[in-house]
Amino acid sequence: MPHFVVVGAGECGARAAFALREKGFEGDITLIGAEPVAPYERPPLSKEGLVHAHEPKFVAALERYAEQGIDLRLGIDATDIDPTGKVVTLTDGERLSYDKLLLATGASARSFPGIAGTGERIRMLRSQADALALRAALLPGRHVAIIGGGFIGLELAATARRLGADATVIEGLPRVLKRGVPEAIAELITQRHRQEGVDIRCDETIVAVEEGTDSAIVRLASGKEISADLVLIGIGAQPNVALAEKAGLAIDNGIAVNERLETSAADVYAAGDCCSFPLALYGGRRVRLESWRNAQEQGTLAAANLLGAENSISAVPWFWSDQYDLTLQIAGLADGAATMLRRDLGEDAFILFHLDETGRLLAASGIGRGNAVARDIRLAEMLIAARICADPAALTASHVKLKSLLAV
Amino acid sequence: MSGNWIEVCAADAIDEEDVMRFDHGGRTFAIYRSPEDDYFATDGLCTHEQIHLADGLVMDNIIECPKHNGRFDYRTGEAKGAPVCVNLKTYPVRVENGTVFIAV
Ligand SMILES: Cc1cc2nc3c(=O)[nH]c(=O)nc-3n(C[C@H](O)[C@H](O)[C@H](O)COP(=O)(O)OP(=O)(O)OC[C@H]3O[C@@H](n4cnc5c(N)ncnc54)[C@H](O)[C@@H]3O)c2cc1C
Ligand code: FES
């Protein structure tokens, strides 16, 4: 019986394990997860899920693992890989031989330079355990200072307000969501946060974060200081590559894989937040995506390739964020765009299309209440995948159905 | 089937290969018109996070949820893979004299 081992029981690892069975694999599957909880969805941790943090949203019902014959080992780390002898060693010293190995080790929250670690009042948000600790501190009248105006920081600010806590967001760059989000959308999100009472401060340099007994203090280069009950560091994530690095696998902003998710070692694959890969749709440039759908899709793709398929990554990057009743969705990668076009969808909902110099659609970013932009973003994603040079007039005219552009 | 037929809308109120929301008796449904001009009905809310499917995209016999693109076959309600794993309930539909009815 062949034995496939998946290291990392997150969205990607769990999806891969189930996909192996869906595709007919009858051998042994071991899924190893460092966290003591069964695989759960991370996106709710900063959003609605944080309001009811005691219950994570599981990727699959627990009994499904047993039903599918997936040996789920929780609360245990893989500490070493021997790619030559094809053995994975676990924290308890057990050695598992594998025929194929998938690394789905994900990413960790990046800590703030100069701060040794996190404490009672200085926290980060990546796991269910982090969310539980954070939830306990987000009470009416409490004040949370959030370092970083990225998605997690802003979603958390919105959730803090919903729970009656005060929130201050401190961003070093001139505006929030500088990476990957067009200015018009970031501006609308900023305005909304300010209306809701969030104090957003951009262009601020932090010189120190100190933890006291009753509060934590963020000291700014301007000489000002912000005192809060809790400081959350939300400055991005870094790929978990230690295990792969120790085993001598190629690393390049994540575990380096080719278009089929193969690492530099034979029969070892990597997928999800932990890996960087070439994206054919964008000229083969190497990217690492921290997105939920990417983790799912790559888990499924890895499963197919573990079983001998030679499928290449073809998915269009896709991301969403919820703040208050606003939803943002982005398909594609906008950097390198030469032109931007706007399609208004009424009630403050709009989509920005990003085209390259030949007129090819590279990306679409939309924002609106509820699911106002969802359908058009989904269609834009298909237009991007089809490498279409769409008629600019049709893109901007909201009465023209984007679906009709796909037919041509 | 309870056989309690409810009038929904004019048949041409739904575009071909599209979906519409219909609320009745405190419940919400999604009504579909397929590319072949057949009509179908399911529960309105996605089984992943209770988002209304009427904002989603119909392609052939699939409804894609607007929130995270979970997919269902709207003729049978079958969930077509992650992130959705729970099927949608479906309801009988009948079109008479240009009007759509569902049995709830
Ligand atoms: C708060 C938050 C909100 C988010 N919101 C959104 C959103 O709105 N939209 C979106 O698209 N994306 C969002 N994301 C990103 C999305 O959750 C990730 O892209 C996705 O979880 C990646 O899945 P993964 O399986 O690759 O990695 P992870 O989810 O990080 O899972 C990796 C798992 O592997 C384990 N592991 C690591 N090393 C080892 C080892 N050596 N041995 C055993 N186990 C190991 C880790 O403990 C972890 O459990 C959010 C993320 C966070 C943290
Ligand atoms: S709510 Fe429908 S896929 Fe998530």
Side-chain angles (χ1 to χ4, degrees):
Chain A
M1 240 354 161
H3 181 202
F4 289 1
V5 173
V6 180
V7 176
E11 188 79 47
C12 181
R15 186 83 293 277
F18 284 108
L20 283 171
R21 289 289 183 240
E22 282 156 23
K23 293 175 197 299
F25 179 62
E26 290 178 350
D28 296 326
I29 303 174
T30 308
L31 176 57
I32 302 159
E35 292 180 65
V37 228
Y40 55 88
E41 298 188 5
R42 282 178 214 282
L45 298 183
S46 48
K47 309 181 179 75
E48 188 58 24
L50 189 58
V51 177
H52 323 279
H54 48 282
E55 271 212 349
K57 187 166 167 49
F58 292 109
V59 172
L62 261 165
E63 60 270 18
R64 293 277 297 149
Y65 295 88
E67 271 168 31
Q68 295 292 309
I70 296 166
D71 184 5
L72 177 61
R73 311 268 191 97
L74 297 174
I76 199 155
D77 268 62
T79 53
D80 279 290
I81 306 165
D82 168 6
T84 318
K86 292 195 166 183
V87 174
V88 178
T89 307
L90 308 183
T91 337
D92 59 5
E94 187 182 354
R95 290 161 56 81
L96 298 172
S97 296
Y98 65 80
D99 294 285
K100 302 263 170 108
L101 174 66
L102 173 63
L103 300 175
T105 51
S108 303
R110 195 186 298 277
S111 56
F112 194 77
I115 299 180
T118 53
E120 247 338 271
R121 293 180 180 277
I122 303 175
R123 298 200 170 270
M124 300 198 282
L125 175 57
R126 179 77 196 179
S127 67
Q128 166 70 6
D130 297 339
L132 277 174
L134 199 58
R135 176 67 184 89
L138 289 180
L139 300 173
R142 295 279 180 90
H143 178 207
V144 55
I146 298 162
I147 299 181
F151 285 113
I152 290 190
L154 291 172
E155 287 176 0
L156 189 89
T159 306
R161 294 303 294 141
R162 155 106 201 263
L163 291 167
D166 292 330
T168 304
V169 175
I170 307 148
E171 168 60 58
L173 297 170
R175 67 159 168 99
V176 300
L177 300 174
K178 188 84 178 151
R179 225 184 57 185
V181 178
E183 190 159 0
I185 292 182
E187 179 57 29
L188 191 141
I189 291 177
T190 302
Q191 273 173 22
R192 180 56 185 278
H193 275 283
R194 289 189 169 141
Q195 276 163 16
E196 299 281 348
V198 177
D199 183 1
I200 296 189
R201 306 192 189 179
C202 295
D203 256 336
E204 293 282 9
T205 305
I206 294 167
V207 288
V209 184
E210 291 159 14
E211 184 164 2
T213 39
D214 309 322
S215 65
I217 293 172
V218 182
R219 295 190 195 284
L220 304 177
S222 59
K224 281 179 256 168
E225 56 185 52
I226 297 163
S227 167
D229 295 294
L230 185 95
V231 173
L232 180 98
I233 300 169
I235 54 169
Q238 57 200 26
N240 293 329
V241 297
L243 184 66
E245 203 163 26
K246 201 154 61 151
L249 270 57
I251 308 288
D252 179 359
N253 177 32
I255 305 170
V257 295
N258 64 14
E259 66 283 4
R260 294 183 299 277
L261 297 172
E262 293 162 337
T263 68
S264 57
D267 295 322
V268 183
Y269 294 71
D273 278 22
C274 69
C275 76
S276 72
F277 57 91
L279 201 49
L281 205 52
Y282 295 89
R285 65 184 262 217
R286 187 165 278 280
V287 295
R288 189 173 66 79
L289 299 178
E290 287 167 14
S291 104
W292 180 78
R293 196 164 93 189
N294 178 64
Q296 289 193 345
E297 283 170 347
Q298 290 199 342
T300 310
L301 180 70
N305 288 354
L306 286 167
L307 291 172
E310 295 194 339
N311 298 341
S312 292
I313 298 162
S314 62
V316 176
W318 181 86
F319 184 86
W320 95 97
S321 170
D322 295 330
Q323 292 162 46
Y324 311 106
D325 58 349
L326 293 176
T327 292
L328 161 111
Q329 289 193 0
I330 297 179
L333 300 179
D335 29 342
T339 328
M340 190 167 83
L341 300 171
R342 180 173 167 131
R343 180 182 181 93
D344 281 300
L345 299 174
E347 291 195 40
D348 293 339
F350 63 91
I351 289 186
L352 300 172
F353 292 108
H354 312 273
L355 314 174
D356 71 7
E357 60 288 338
T358 67
R360 196 185 114 197
L361 187 60
L362 291 177
S365 338
I367 189 156
R369 265 195 270 152
N371 295 307
V373 300
R375 199 183 295 204
D376 278 356
I377 290 287
R378 180 69 180 104
L379 287 161
E381 185 192 325
M382 292 190 251
L383 292 169
I384 295 167
R387 299 171 186 265
I388 276 175
C389 286
D391 171 16
L395 287 176
T396 52
S398 56
H399 63 273
V400 176
K401 288 193 169 188
L402 291 186
K403 213 174 185 177
S404 67
L405 305 183
L406 265 177
V408 281
Chain B
M1 196 206 301
S2 69
N4 188 15
W5 289 97
I6 312 287
E7 180 176 334
V8 176
C9 64
D12 58 10
I14 313 175
D15 284 346
E16 194 181 298
E17 205 178 19
D18 211 348
V19 53
M20 196 189 78
R21 175 177 179 150
F22 174 64
D23 294 340
H24 177 80
R27 294 162 68 190
T28 187
F29 305 90
I31 317 291
Y32 310 85
R33 179 171 165 187
S34 76
E36 297 81 28
D37 263 350
D38 293 321
Y39 292 77
F40 298 89
T42 69
D43 272 338
L45 301 180
C46 178
T47 56
H48 181 238
E49 273 184 18
Q50 306 281 296
I51 293 294
H52 212 292
L53 292 166
D55 293 320
L57 181 66
V58 173
M59 284 176 300
D60 298 325
N61 297 121
I62 297 292
I63 173 71
E64 253 195 30
C65 173
K67 193 78 207 179
H68 318 113
N69 310 131
R71 303 168 70 144
F72 301 90
D73 184 328
Y74 57 77
R75 298 168 305 176
T76 58
E78 189 194 348
K80 297 300 249 181
V84 293
C85 43
V86 179
N87 295 348
L88 289 170
K89 252 196 239 139
T90 59
Y91 301 89
V93 182
R94 169 175 105 193
V95 181
E96 234 175 63
N97 300 327
T99 304
V100 179
F101 297 85
I102 63 171
V104 299

